[in-house]
Amino acid sequence: MFRVGIGFDIHRLEEGKKLIIGGVEIPFEKGWVAHSDGDIFFHALTDAILGALGKGDIGELFPDTKEENKNKSSDIFLKEAIKIMEKNGYEIENIDAYILLQKPKLLPYRQKIIQNTQKITGCSNIFLKGKTFEKLGDIGQGKAGACEVIVLLKKF
Ligand code: MG
């Protein structure tokens, strides 16, 4: 039995903040404006897994109004979603994602992000594509970055 889930996240970019994607810190002049570490990939992936299970969303599980979630490393959110998934008898068959970011290029960091995500999720079929926004809108002007994820869960 299969279940499919979709996730999306967007955060503003500001100078002097950390740019973390998939738990990997990417050297860049700007980073995420967020309550947690702003990791758009892990946020969207967490939402996709929870959505596939019909078990709520990241905002319900980890409200950004709570002080305890401030500056929290987003692998904690993802690990919690994995725990819920396993408790419900599912594993991840594959993950596919878009990172929508004008700058910097994702390619040099892609393998590291995939490996890190494999470690947390136990999924060996992960793909990640970097895409610019052709200089259009806020993403295209480097004011924000977004991520779109689709995940397939399989009953074990
Ligand atoms: Mg987020």
Side-chain angles (χ1 to χ4, degrees), residues 7-143:
F8 177 82
D9 195 33
I10 185 165
H11 279 278
R12 283 189 290 124
L13 286 163
E14 224 171 69
E15 272 172 38
K17 307 260 186 193
K18 283 184 182 172
L19 183 67
I20 294 171
I21 300 176
V24 175
E25 194 175 334
I26 297 171
F28 190 53
E29 69 220 36
K30 288 179 181 178
W32 306 125
V33 178
H35 187 73
S36 65
D37 67 3
D39 191 327
I40 51 170
F41 179 43
F42 279 179
H43 291 181
L45 180 54
T46 301
D47 259 347
I49 294 165
L50 294 172
L53 296 164
K55 298 284 178 195
D57 61 49
I58 192 169
E60 269 180 87
L61 253 64
F62 304 100
D64 63 6
T65 47
K66 275 198 175 163
E67 195 58 28
E68 66 191 56
N69 293 327
K70 206 172 177 187
N71 299 321
K72 212 172 212 178
S73 173
S74 297
D75 61 345
I76 292 165
F77 308 150
L78 182 56
K79 282 172 185 164
E80 186 60 30
I82 297 289
K83 221 189 275 173
I84 293 167
M85 177 187 76
E86 288 171 344
K87 216 191 278 171
N88 283 273
Y90 283 88
E91 62 188 4
I92 303 175
E93 176 59 26
N94 81 301
I95 296 164
D96 191 20
Y98 268 117
I99 303 292
L100 308 167
L101 198 62
Q102 192 63 36
K103 260 201 243 173
K105 288 269 176 234
L106 187 76
L107 197 59
Y109 310 98
R110 183 164 77 185
Q111 209 45 43
K112 207 171 165 192
I113 294 168
I114 289 173
Q115 280 167 1
N116 196 35
T117 311
Q118 272 173 349
K119 247 188 272 166
I120 297 169
T121 62
C123 173
S124 51
N125 300 310
I126 302 172
F127 202 64
L128 203 60
K129 301 168 298 277
K131 200 161 181 65
T132 75
F133 234 61
E134 293 290 326
K135 297 185 179 162
L136 293 164
D138 287 339
I139 294 174
Q141 280 156 33
K143 292 179 189 165

